[in-house]
Amino acid sequence: MSTFPENLKYTVEHEWLAQGEPSTFGITDTAAGALGDIVYLELPAVGTEITAGAVCGEIESTKSVSELFSPVTGTVVAINDAAVEDPSLVNSDPYGEGWLVRVDVTETGPLLTAEEYRAEVGS
Amino acid sequence: MTDTTAPDTTAPHTSTSDSSTPGTTPPATSTAVVPETPTPMHSPLHDEHVALGATLTPFAGWLMPLRYSSDLAEHQAVRQAAGLFDLSHMGEIRVSGPQAGAALDHALVGNLTAVGVGRARYTMLCAEDGSVIDDLVVYRTGEEDFLVVANASNAAVVLAELAQRSTRFEVTIGDESEHTALVAVQGPRAQEIVTSITAPDDVDAVARLKYYTGLEATVAGIDALVARTGYTGEDGYELFVPATEATTLWRALLKAGEPHGLVPAGLSARDSLRLEAGMPLYGNELDRTTTPHDAGLGRVVKLDKAEADGAPLPFVGRAALEARDASQPSRVLVGLQGLGRRAARHGFPVVRSTDRLDLVVGQVTSGAPSPTLGFPIAMAYVTPEVSGVGTELAVDVRGRAEPVRVVGLPFYRRPQ
């Protein structure tokens, strides 16, 4: 069963966002489960300007590839090197050790609450 | 996050890069494609899959397990211990009668009358133009009895073609797909597992079965056709049983296999395993635009099969395949080793070099990150000039060139 922590915000593209200074985002349990075993992550470089709703990376599993969309506009201040090294962290702990990108946010894209996201993915 | 796997725009959560696994766009030119039915058929093992928590996916009109827990874990289990697959979606067509062999010699590219009882043969059903309608495994189960195993997506077409091509032969053709379950045990521990639940009188014979042979044996108390065949590159067995007995066999194999490390494995692992083993997949390497020769499988076309008087035996596709056999190929199926980390996928263009994305020299038919080898692998059709082993090429992976090198197939060979 997929889980959606109440303290996070979500996007229809299946990213989660922990708002803060900086904010952190990753992909949801639902997305990680649908992809299967993730074997490769391509994340934006630190210092890159990313834009809400735009592609900022790639997530590759044995069976498929997905684009990573940024839920926010801002500057990348950190990426999860441990997850790049061991992408299975995204499957095992998508909201924790499997986080992907930290951003100094200037603008936020459209976000959903946990309840809205749960309704969106129908679980 | 949006799924961008090349050929698939309809099923993001089960997206794959091929057609034996779910969510595939079949080749537009193929007439051998069964559309997804609104209510997919269930395997006789459906309830077992649900109870095991499998992720199910529509595939060729069936709802089949994509994975149970982890694609990688299932793949590794087959390489290191064993995996249990439900292949009940495959088509089983019985061809029997005094002229069963002769009918198949006419209908297929292989020489089936030359196959001994108890042996199996990999062969193909081709159209008059030499293109592949399906690739098949045919088991000779008796002097006048053959079991033709077809891909699920092509089973109906194979049945219709066999019937139509056999009208002048004394032969009966029966579709046994609905009443037959097919379960595969694949991996280095397969023999120990299968023989541990085989009737004592049959244990030696099952253990001694050679690759591409089969026999009737009692397994878990069930009369089964037990064959030493598979689609993973590992040792293993495929067991054909009545659909009504499938659950008993499945549970017995899971239980007997557990101490050996056997896990149930889905279509996702099946696809990555067959790709590592360099085995073609209908819809990817083979389709109605390819001949057996294109796929490097010209050897399955038996142009030397002859009538009793020594005259060349006419079979469907013969003229086109003779011409193809005598001509230079316009493209060659090769293996590609990815030198970067991003995998080439089905349908991606192969280009001459990383700085010449415009110079297309071929197309990827299947590709994935190889779980066993740790780097991306792919099969692709390329022009003969760039098909030599060691040639450095590139693949256009969503607009960015990834370097690849032509390597020999298979990518993976099991330790002997």
Side-chain angles (χ1 to χ4, degrees), chain B residues 145-179:
Chain B
D145 199 68
F146 295 80
L147 186 66
V148 176
V149 179
N151 284 302
S153 54
N154 297 327
V157 176
V158 172
L159 179 67
E161 285 290 335
L162 287 179
Q164 196 253 320
R165 294 177 185 194
S166 301
T167 47
R168 63 186 176 82
F169 294 92
E170 202 177 327
V171 64
T172 307
I173 295 171
D175 182 7
E176 300 187 351
S177 304
E178 196 185 329
H179 305 293

PDB file of all heavy atoms in Angstrom, chain B residues 145-179:
ATOM      1  N   ASP B 145       2.212 -36.922 -33.266  1.00  0.00           N
ATOM      2  CA  ASP B 145       1.668 -35.947 -32.327  1.00  0.00           C
ATOM      3  C   ASP B 145       2.681 -34.858 -31.996  1.00  0.00           C
ATOM      4  O   ASP B 145       3.786 -35.152 -31.522  1.00  0.00           O
ATOM      5  CB  ASP B 145       1.255 -36.686 -31.035  1.00  0.00           C
ATOM      6  CG  ASP B 145       0.284 -35.877 -30.202  1.00  0.00           C
ATOM      7  OD1 ASP B 145      -0.864 -35.698 -30.650  1.00  0.00           O
ATOM      8  OD2 ASP B 145       0.690 -35.414 -29.122  1.00  0.00           O
ATOM      9  N   PHE B 146       2.307 -33.622 -32.246  1.00  0.00           N
ATOM     10  CA  PHE B 146       3.176 -32.474 -31.975  1.00  0.00           C
ATOM     11  C   PHE B 146       2.419 -31.434 -31.160  1.00  0.00           C
ATOM     12  O   PHE B 146       1.221 -31.239 -31.344  1.00  0.00           O
ATOM     13  CB  PHE B 146       3.624 -31.811 -33.279  1.00  0.00           C
ATOM     14  CG  PHE B 146       4.490 -32.668 -34.166  1.00  0.00           C
ATOM     15  CD1 PHE B 146       3.923 -33.642 -34.993  1.00  0.00           C
ATOM     16  CD2 PHE B 146       5.873 -32.499 -34.189  1.00  0.00           C
ATOM     17  CE1 PHE B 146       4.715 -34.425 -35.823  1.00  0.00           C
ATOM     18  CE2 PHE B 146       6.669 -33.283 -35.016  1.00  0.00           C
ATOM     19  CZ  PHE B 146       6.092 -34.247 -35.837  1.00  0.00           C
ATOM     20  N   LEU B 147       3.152 -30.733 -30.285  1.00  0.00           N
ATOM     21  CA  LEU B 147       2.571 -29.611 -29.544  1.00  0.00           C
ATOM     22  C   LEU B 147       3.307 -28.341 -29.985  1.00  0.00           C
ATOM     23  O   LEU B 147       4.529 -28.224 -29.820  1.00  0.00           O
ATOM     24  CB  LEU B 147       2.734 -29.815 -28.034  1.00  0.00           C
ATOM     25  CG  LEU B 147       2.024 -28.773 -27.177  1.00  0.00           C
ATOM     26  CD1 LEU B 147       0.503 -28.871 -27.318  1.00  0.00           C
ATOM     27  CD2 LEU B 147       2.424 -28.916 -25.704  1.00  0.00           C
ATOM     28  N   VAL B 148       2.556 -27.428 -30.576  1.00  0.00           N
ATOM     29  CA  VAL B 148       3.118 -26.179 -31.071  1.00  0.00           C
ATOM     30  C   VAL B 148       2.854 -25.094 -30.032  1.00  0.00           C
ATOM     31  O   VAL B 148       1.696 -24.848 -29.677  1.00  0.00           O
ATOM     32  CB  VAL B 148       2.473 -25.787 -32.420  1.00  0.00           C
ATOM     33  CG1 VAL B 148       2.992 -24.431 -32.900  1.00  0.00           C
ATOM     34  CG2 VAL B 148       2.725 -26.876 -33.468  1.00  0.00           C
ATOM     35  N   VAL B 149       3.910 -24.456 -29.536  1.00  0.00           N
ATOM     36  CA  VAL B 149       3.741 -23.415 -28.524  1.00  0.00           C
ATOM     37  C   VAL B 149       4.018 -22.052 -29.162  1.00  0.00           C
ATOM     38  O   VAL B 149       5.111 -21.814 -29.689  1.00  0.00           O
ATOM     39  CB  VAL B 149       4.636 -23.658 -27.305  1.00  0.00           C
ATOM     40  CG1 VAL B 149       4.464 -22.539 -26.280  1.00  0.00           C
ATOM     41  CG2 VAL B 149       4.297 -25.007 -26.682  1.00  0.00           C
ATOM     42  N   ALA B 150       2.991 -21.204 -29.130  1.00  0.00           N
ATOM     43  CA  ALA B 150       3.033 -19.909 -29.809  1.00  0.00           C
ATOM     44  C   ALA B 150       2.995 -18.778 -28.797  1.00  0.00           C
ATOM     45  O   ALA B 150       2.526 -18.945 -27.667  1.00  0.00           O
ATOM     46  CB  ALA B 150       1.821 -19.793 -30.750  1.00  0.00           C
ATOM     47  N   ASN B 151       3.500 -17.619 -29.208  1.00  0.00           N
ATOM     48  CA  ASN B 151       3.382 -16.427 -28.370  1.00  0.00           C
ATOM     49  C   ASN B 151       1.911 -16.071 -28.190  1.00  0.00           C
ATOM     50  O   ASN B 151       1.109 -16.196 -29.119  1.00  0.00           O
ATOM     51  CB  ASN B 151       4.108 -15.251 -29.025  1.00  0.00           C
ATOM     52  CG  ASN B 151       5.605 -15.372 -28.868  1.00  0.00           C
ATOM     53  OD1 ASN B 151       6.132 -15.440 -27.765  1.00  0.00           O
ATOM     54  ND2 ASN B 151       6.303 -15.437 -29.994  1.00  0.00           N
ATOM     55  N   ALA B 152       1.583 -15.579 -26.993  1.00  0.00           N
ATOM     56  CA  ALA B 152       0.183 -15.264 -26.683  1.00  0.00           C
ATOM     57  C   ALA B 152      -0.406 -14.295 -27.704  1.00  0.00           C
ATOM     58  O   ALA B 152      -1.541 -14.461 -28.161  1.00  0.00           O
ATOM     59  CB  ALA B 152       0.090 -14.667 -25.282  1.00  0.00           C
ATOM     60  N   SER B 153       0.390 -13.295 -28.090  1.00  0.00           N
ATOM     61  CA  SER B 153      -0.127 -12.267 -28.986  1.00  0.00           C
ATOM     62  C   SER B 153      -0.410 -12.813 -30.378  1.00  0.00           C
ATOM     63  O   SER B 153      -1.162 -12.218 -31.141  1.00  0.00           O
ATOM     64  CB  SER B 153       0.864 -11.112 -29.066  1.00  0.00           C
ATOM     65  OG  SER B 153       2.135 -11.601 -29.434  1.00  0.00           O
ATOM     66  N   ASN B 154       0.211 -13.953 -30.714  1.00  0.00           N
ATOM     67  CA  ASN B 154       0.056 -14.502 -32.059  1.00  0.00           C
ATOM     68  C   ASN B 154      -0.708 -15.812 -32.096  1.00  0.00           C
ATOM     69  O   ASN B 154      -0.877 -16.390 -33.173  1.00  0.00           O
ATOM     70  CB  ASN B 154       1.438 -14.739 -32.684  1.00  0.00           C
ATOM     71  CG  ASN B 154       2.212 -13.447 -32.862  1.00  0.00           C
ATOM     72  OD1 ASN B 154       1.622 -12.401 -33.114  1.00  0.00           O
ATOM     73  ND2 ASN B 154       3.517 -13.516 -32.724  1.00  0.00           N
ATOM     74  N   ALA B 155      -1.139 -16.298 -30.954  1.00  0.00           N
ATOM     75  CA  ALA B 155      -1.694 -17.652 -30.884  1.00  0.00           C
ATOM     76  C   ALA B 155      -2.865 -17.850 -31.843  1.00  0.00           C
ATOM     77  O   ALA B 155      -2.953 -18.878 -32.528  1.00  0.00           O
ATOM     78  CB  ALA B 155      -2.113 -17.976 -29.450  1.00  0.00           C
ATOM     79  N   ALA B 156      -3.749 -16.865 -31.922  1.00  0.00           N
ATOM     80  CA  ALA B 156      -4.921 -17.013 -32.781  1.00  0.00           C
ATOM     81  C   ALA B 156      -4.518 -17.067 -34.255  1.00  0.00           C
ATOM     82  O   ALA B 156      -5.068 -17.846 -35.038  1.00  0.00           O
ATOM     83  CB  ALA B 156      -5.891 -15.850 -32.539  1.00  0.00           C
ATOM     84  N   VAL B 157      -3.522 -16.244 -34.622  1.00  0.00           N
ATOM     85  CA  VAL B 157      -3.073 -16.228 -36.012  1.00  0.00           C
ATOM     86  C   VAL B 157      -2.351 -17.528 -36.359  1.00  0.00           C
ATOM     87  O   VAL B 157      -2.535 -18.087 -37.446  1.00  0.00           O
ATOM     88  CB  VAL B 157      -2.153 -15.014 -36.257  1.00  0.00           C
ATOM     89  CG1 VAL B 157      -1.611 -15.038 -37.675  1.00  0.00           C
ATOM     90  CG2 VAL B 157      -2.916 -13.724 -36.001  1.00  0.00           C
ATOM     91  N   VAL B 158      -1.550 -18.019 -35.424  1.00  0.00           N
ATOM     92  CA  VAL B 158      -0.835 -19.279 -35.668  1.00  0.00           C
ATOM     93  C   VAL B 158      -1.838 -20.410 -35.866  1.00  0.00           C
ATOM     94  O   VAL B 158      -1.716 -21.215 -36.793  1.00  0.00           O
ATOM     95  CB  VAL B 158       0.131 -19.592 -34.505  1.00  0.00           C
ATOM     96  CG1 VAL B 158       0.722 -20.993 -34.656  1.00  0.00           C
ATOM     97  CG2 VAL B 158       1.238 -18.540 -34.436  1.00  0.00           C
ATOM     98  N   LEU B 159      -2.836 -20.457 -35.011  1.00  0.00           N
ATOM     99  CA  LEU B 159      -3.868 -21.489 -35.123  1.00  0.00           C
ATOM    100  C   LEU B 159      -4.552 -21.418 -36.487  1.00  0.00           C
ATOM    101  O   LEU B 159      -4.702 -22.430 -37.184  1.00  0.00           O
ATOM    102  CB  LEU B 159      -4.900 -21.315 -34.007  1.00  0.00           C
ATOM    103  CG  LEU B 159      -6.066 -22.303 -33.997  1.00  0.00           C
ATOM    104  CD1 LEU B 159      -5.568 -23.711 -33.667  1.00  0.00           C
ATOM    105  CD2 LEU B 159      -7.128 -21.866 -32.991  1.00  0.00           C
ATOM    106  N   ALA B 160      -4.936 -20.223 -36.898  1.00  0.00           N
ATOM    107  CA  ALA B 160      -5.631 -20.052 -38.178  1.00  0.00           C
ATOM    108  C   ALA B 160      -4.724 -20.432 -39.344  1.00  0.00           C
ATOM    109  O   ALA B 160      -5.149 -21.103 -40.285  1.00  0.00           O
ATOM    110  CB  ALA B 160      -6.105 -18.605 -38.311  1.00  0.00           C
ATOM    111  N   GLU B 161      -3.448 -20.019 -39.281  1.00  0.00           N
ATOM    112  CA  GLU B 161      -2.516 -20.332 -40.370  1.00  0.00           C
ATOM    113  C   GLU B 161      -2.257 -21.836 -40.458  1.00  0.00           C
ATOM    114  O   GLU B 161      -2.214 -22.403 -41.550  1.00  0.00           O
ATOM    115  CB  GLU B 161      -1.192 -19.588 -40.171  1.00  0.00           C
ATOM    116  CG  GLU B 161      -1.262 -18.105 -40.499  1.00  0.00           C
ATOM    117  CD  GLU B 161      -1.426 -17.825 -41.997  1.00  0.00           C
ATOM    118  OE1 GLU B 161      -1.023 -18.681 -42.823  1.00  0.00           O
ATOM    119  OE2 GLU B 161      -1.975 -16.767 -42.341  1.00  0.00           O
ATOM    120  N   LEU B 162      -2.065 -22.480 -39.290  1.00  0.00           N
ATOM    121  CA  LEU B 162      -1.817 -23.927 -39.313  1.00  0.00           C
ATOM    122  C   LEU B 162      -3.013 -24.660 -39.914  1.00  0.00           C
ATOM    123  O   LEU B 162      -2.848 -25.580 -40.723  1.00  0.00           O
ATOM    124  CB  LEU B 162      -1.527 -24.449 -37.899  1.00  0.00           C
ATOM    125  CG  LEU B 162      -0.168 -24.086 -37.300  1.00  0.00           C
ATOM    126  CD1 LEU B 162      -0.056 -24.655 -35.887  1.00  0.00           C
ATOM    127  CD2 LEU B 162       0.986 -24.592 -38.166  1.00  0.00           C
ATOM    128  N   ALA B 163      -4.208 -24.233 -39.532  1.00  0.00           N
ATOM    129  CA  ALA B 163      -5.406 -24.885 -40.059  1.00  0.00           C
ATOM    130  C   ALA B 163      -5.505 -24.688 -41.569  1.00  0.00           C
ATOM    131  O   ALA B 163      -5.733 -25.628 -42.335  1.00  0.00           O
ATOM    132  CB  ALA B 163      -6.644 -24.327 -39.357  1.00  0.00           C
ATOM    133  N   GLN B 164      -5.251 -23.445 -41.987  1.00  0.00           N
ATOM    134  CA  GLN B 164      -5.396 -23.118 -43.401  1.00  0.00           C
ATOM    135  C   GLN B 164      -4.325 -23.807 -44.249  1.00  0.00           C
ATOM    136  O   GLN B 164      -4.587 -24.230 -45.375  1.00  0.00           O
ATOM    137  CB  GLN B 164      -5.327 -21.603 -43.544  1.00  0.00           C
ATOM    138  CG  GLN B 164      -5.817 -21.049 -44.864  1.00  0.00           C
ATOM    139  CD  GLN B 164      -4.655 -20.582 -45.714  1.00  0.00           C
ATOM    140  OE1 GLN B 164      -3.708 -20.000 -45.200  1.00  0.00           O
ATOM    141  NE2 GLN B 164      -4.722 -20.848 -47.008  1.00  0.00           N
ATOM    142  N   ARG B 165      -3.122 -23.964 -43.699  1.00  0.00           N
ATOM    143  CA  ARG B 165      -2.019 -24.553 -44.455  1.00  0.00           C
ATOM    144  C   ARG B 165      -2.057 -26.084 -44.453  1.00  0.00           C
ATOM    145  O   ARG B 165      -1.242 -26.725 -45.103  1.00  0.00           O
ATOM    146  CB  ARG B 165      -0.680 -24.081 -43.870  1.00  0.00           C
ATOM    147  CG  ARG B 165      -0.455 -22.597 -44.040  1.00  0.00           C
ATOM    148  CD  ARG B 165       0.840 -22.126 -43.401  1.00  0.00           C
ATOM    149  NE  ARG B 165       0.949 -20.666 -43.488  1.00  0.00           N
ATOM    150  CZ  ARG B 165       2.076 -19.996 -43.257  1.00  0.00           C
ATOM    151  NH1 ARG B 165       3.181 -20.634 -42.937  1.00  0.00           N
ATOM    152  NH2 ARG B 165       2.080 -18.685 -43.368  1.00  0.00           N
ATOM    153  N   SER B 166      -2.955 -26.662 -43.658  1.00  0.00           N
ATOM    154  CA  SER B 166      -2.954 -28.118 -43.485  1.00  0.00           C
ATOM    155  C   SER B 166      -4.140 -28.810 -44.136  1.00  0.00           C
ATOM    156  O   SER B 166      -4.346 -30.007 -43.929  1.00  0.00           O
ATOM    157  CB  SER B 166      -2.947 -28.457 -41.983  1.00  0.00           C
ATOM    158  OG  SER B 166      -1.817 -27.915 -41.370  1.00  0.00           O
ATOM    159  N   THR B 167      -4.915 -28.057 -44.930  1.00  0.00           N
ATOM    160  CA  THR B 167      -6.176 -28.623 -45.437  1.00  0.00           C
ATOM    161  C   THR B 167      -5.957 -29.876 -46.275  1.00  0.00           C
ATOM    162  O   THR B 167      -6.785 -30.774 -46.262  1.00  0.00           O
ATOM    163  CB  THR B 167      -6.942 -27.582 -46.268  1.00  0.00           C
ATOM    164  OG1 THR B 167      -6.035 -26.976 -47.171  1.00  0.00           O
ATOM    165  CG2 THR B 167      -7.564 -26.519 -45.374  1.00  0.00           C
ATOM    166  N   ARG B 168      -4.817 -29.959 -46.980  1.00  0.00           N
ATOM    167  CA  ARG B 168      -4.645 -31.146 -47.832  1.00  0.00           C
ATOM    168  C   ARG B 168      -3.887 -32.271 -47.115  1.00  0.00           C
ATOM    169  O   ARG B 168      -3.487 -33.253 -47.746  1.00  0.00           O
ATOM    170  CB  ARG B 168      -3.953 -30.768 -49.144  1.00  0.00           C
ATOM    171  CG  ARG B 168      -2.556 -30.239 -49.004  1.00  0.00           C
ATOM    172  CD  ARG B 168      -2.027 -29.764 -50.355  1.00  0.00           C
ATOM    173  NE  ARG B 168      -0.711 -29.156 -50.239  1.00  0.00           N
ATOM    174  CZ  ARG B 168       0.423 -29.836 -50.198  1.00  0.00           C
ATOM    175  NH1 ARG B 168       0.417 -31.156 -50.271  1.00  0.00           N
ATOM    176  NH2 ARG B 168       1.581 -29.206 -50.078  1.00  0.00           N
ATOM    177  N   PHE B 169      -3.690 -32.123 -45.815  1.00  0.00           N
ATOM    178  CA  PHE B 169      -3.007 -33.172 -45.048  1.00  0.00           C
ATOM    179  C   PHE B 169      -3.990 -33.880 -44.116  1.00  0.00           C
ATOM    180  O   PHE B 169      -4.977 -33.298 -43.668  1.00  0.00           O
ATOM    181  CB  PHE B 169      -1.870 -32.575 -44.208  1.00  0.00           C
ATOM    182  CG  PHE B 169      -0.755 -32.002 -45.030  1.00  0.00           C
ATOM    183  CD1 PHE B 169      -0.754 -30.659 -45.399  1.00  0.00           C
ATOM    184  CD2 PHE B 169       0.303 -32.813 -45.445  1.00  0.00           C
ATOM    185  CE1 PHE B 169       0.275 -30.125 -46.156  1.00  0.00           C
ATOM    186  CE2 PHE B 169       1.337 -32.283 -46.203  1.00  0.00           C
ATOM    187  CZ  PHE B 169       1.323 -30.940 -46.561  1.00  0.00           C
ATOM    188  N   GLU B 170      -3.669 -35.133 -43.817  1.00  0.00           N
ATOM    189  CA  GLU B 170      -4.489 -35.909 -42.887  1.00  0.00           C
ATOM    190  C   GLU B 170      -4.020 -35.587 -41.468  1.00  0.00           C
ATOM    191  O   GLU B 170      -3.087 -36.209 -40.952  1.00  0.00           O
ATOM    192  CB  GLU B 170      -4.301 -37.400 -43.194  1.00  0.00           C
ATOM    193  CG  GLU B 170      -5.431 -38.264 -42.713  1.00  0.00           C
ATOM    194  CD  GLU B 170      -5.195 -39.717 -43.112  1.00  0.00           C
ATOM    195  OE1 GLU B 170      -4.605 -39.972 -44.192  1.00  0.00           O
ATOM    196  OE2 GLU B 170      -5.589 -40.591 -42.326  1.00  0.00           O
ATOM    197  N   VAL B 171      -4.649 -34.569 -40.909  1.00  0.00           N
ATOM    198  CA  VAL B 171      -4.142 -34.042 -39.653  1.00  0.00           C
ATOM    199  C   VAL B 171      -5.288 -33.368 -38.894  1.00  0.00           C
ATOM    200  O   VAL B 171      -6.229 -32.847 -39.486  1.00  0.00           O
ATOM    201  CB  VAL B 171      -2.989 -33.051 -39.941  1.00  0.00           C
ATOM    202  CG1 VAL B 171      -3.473 -31.849 -40.717  1.00  0.00           C
ATOM    203  CG2 VAL B 171      -2.281 -32.618 -38.685  1.00  0.00           C
ATOM    204  N   THR B 172      -5.188 -33.413 -37.569  1.00  0.00           N
ATOM    205  CA  THR B 172      -6.158 -32.722 -36.719  1.00  0.00           C
ATOM    206  C   THR B 172      -5.431 -31.620 -35.963  1.00  0.00           C
ATOM    207  O   THR B 172      -4.353 -31.860 -35.412  1.00  0.00           O
ATOM    208  CB  THR B 172      -6.772 -33.702 -35.696  1.00  0.00           C
ATOM    209  OG1 THR B 172      -7.285 -34.818 -36.405  1.00  0.00           O
ATOM    210  CG2 THR B 172      -7.890 -33.031 -34.909  1.00  0.00           C
ATOM    211  N   ILE B 173      -6.019 -30.447 -35.966  1.00  0.00           N
ATOM    212  CA  ILE B 173      -5.396 -29.323 -35.266  1.00  0.00           C
ATOM    213  C   ILE B 173      -6.338 -28.844 -34.178  1.00  0.00           C
ATOM    214  O   ILE B 173      -7.490 -28.511 -34.450  1.00  0.00           O
ATOM    215  CB  ILE B 173      -5.063 -28.198 -36.253  1.00  0.00           C
ATOM    216  CG1 ILE B 173      -3.996 -28.711 -37.228  1.00  0.00           C
ATOM    217  CG2 ILE B 173      -4.581 -26.944 -35.516  1.00  0.00           C
ATOM    218  CD1 ILE B 173      -3.722 -27.814 -38.375  1.00  0.00           C
ATOM    219  N   GLY B 174      -5.837 -28.864 -32.945  1.00  0.00           N
ATOM    220  CA  GLY B 174      -6.703 -28.473 -31.824  1.00  0.00           C
ATOM    221  C   GLY B 174      -6.042 -27.419 -30.957  1.00  0.00           C
ATOM    222  O   GLY B 174      -4.866 -27.507 -30.631  1.00  0.00           O
ATOM    223  N   ASP B 175      -6.824 -26.420 -30.597  1.00  0.00           N
ATOM    224  CA  ASP B 175      -6.326 -25.369 -29.715  1.00  0.00           C
ATOM    225  C   ASP B 175      -6.512 -25.805 -28.264  1.00  0.00           C
ATOM    226  O   ASP B 175      -7.643 -25.918 -27.792  1.00  0.00           O
ATOM    227  CB  ASP B 175      -7.091 -24.071 -29.993  1.00  0.00           C
ATOM    228  CG  ASP B 175      -6.591 -22.923 -29.134  1.00  0.00           C
ATOM    229  OD1 ASP B 175      -5.579 -23.103 -28.431  1.00  0.00           O
ATOM    230  OD2 ASP B 175      -7.212 -21.847 -29.183  1.00  0.00           O
ATOM    231  N   GLU B 176      -5.416 -26.052 -27.569  1.00  0.00           N
ATOM    232  CA  GLU B 176      -5.495 -26.511 -26.176  1.00  0.00           C
ATOM    233  C   GLU B 176      -5.148 -25.404 -25.189  1.00  0.00           C
ATOM    234  O   GLU B 176      -5.001 -25.653 -23.995  1.00  0.00           O
ATOM    235  CB  GLU B 176      -4.563 -27.710 -25.987  1.00  0.00           C
ATOM    236  CG  GLU B 176      -4.928 -28.869 -26.901  1.00  0.00           C
ATOM    237  CD  GLU B 176      -4.133 -30.142 -26.627  1.00  0.00           C
ATOM    238  OE1 GLU B 176      -3.163 -30.096 -25.837  1.00  0.00           O
ATOM    239  OE2 GLU B 176      -4.491 -31.171 -27.212  1.00  0.00           O
ATOM    240  N   SER B 177      -5.021 -24.184 -25.707  1.00  0.00           N
ATOM    241  CA  SER B 177      -4.527 -23.085 -24.870  1.00  0.00           C
ATOM    242  C   SER B 177      -5.363 -22.887 -23.611  1.00  0.00           C
ATOM    243  O   SER B 177      -4.833 -22.702 -22.514  1.00  0.00           O
ATOM    244  CB  SER B 177      -4.527 -21.781 -25.672  1.00  0.00           C
ATOM    245  OG  SER B 177      -3.763 -21.946 -26.849  1.00  0.00           O
ATOM    246  N   GLU B 178      -6.671 -22.902 -23.793  1.00  0.00           N
ATOM    247  CA  GLU B 178      -7.552 -22.570 -22.682  1.00  0.00           C
ATOM    248  C   GLU B 178      -7.474 -23.597 -21.559  1.00  0.00           C
ATOM    249  O   GLU B 178      -7.665 -23.263 -20.392  1.00  0.00           O
ATOM    250  CB  GLU B 178      -8.993 -22.473 -23.214  1.00  0.00           C
ATOM    251  CG  GLU B 178      -9.940 -21.776 -22.275  1.00  0.00           C
ATOM    252  CD  GLU B 178     -11.370 -21.810 -22.805  1.00  0.00           C
ATOM    253  OE1 GLU B 178     -11.555 -21.816 -24.042  1.00  0.00           O
ATOM    254  OE2 GLU B 178     -12.299 -21.855 -21.968  1.00  0.00           O
ATOM    255  N   HIS B 179      -7.194 -24.831 -21.918  1.00  0.00           N
ATOM    256  CA  HIS B 179      -7.212 -25.902 -20.915  1.00  0.00           C
ATOM    257  C   HIS B 179      -5.814 -26.277 -20.441  1.00  0.00           C
ATOM    258  O   HIS B 179      -5.644 -27.232 -19.692  1.00  0.00           O
ATOM    259  CB  HIS B 179      -7.924 -27.136 -21.481  1.00  0.00           C
ATOM    260  CG  HIS B 179      -9.298 -26.819 -21.984  1.00  0.00           C
ATOM    261  ND1 HIS B 179     -10.315 -26.446 -21.136  1.00  0.00           N
ATOM    262  CD2 HIS B 179      -9.807 -26.751 -23.243  1.00  0.00           C
ATOM    263  CE1 HIS B 179     -11.409 -26.187 -21.843  1.00  0.00           C
ATOM    264  NE2 HIS B 179     -11.115 -26.354 -23.123  1.00  0.00           N
TER     265      HIS B 179
END
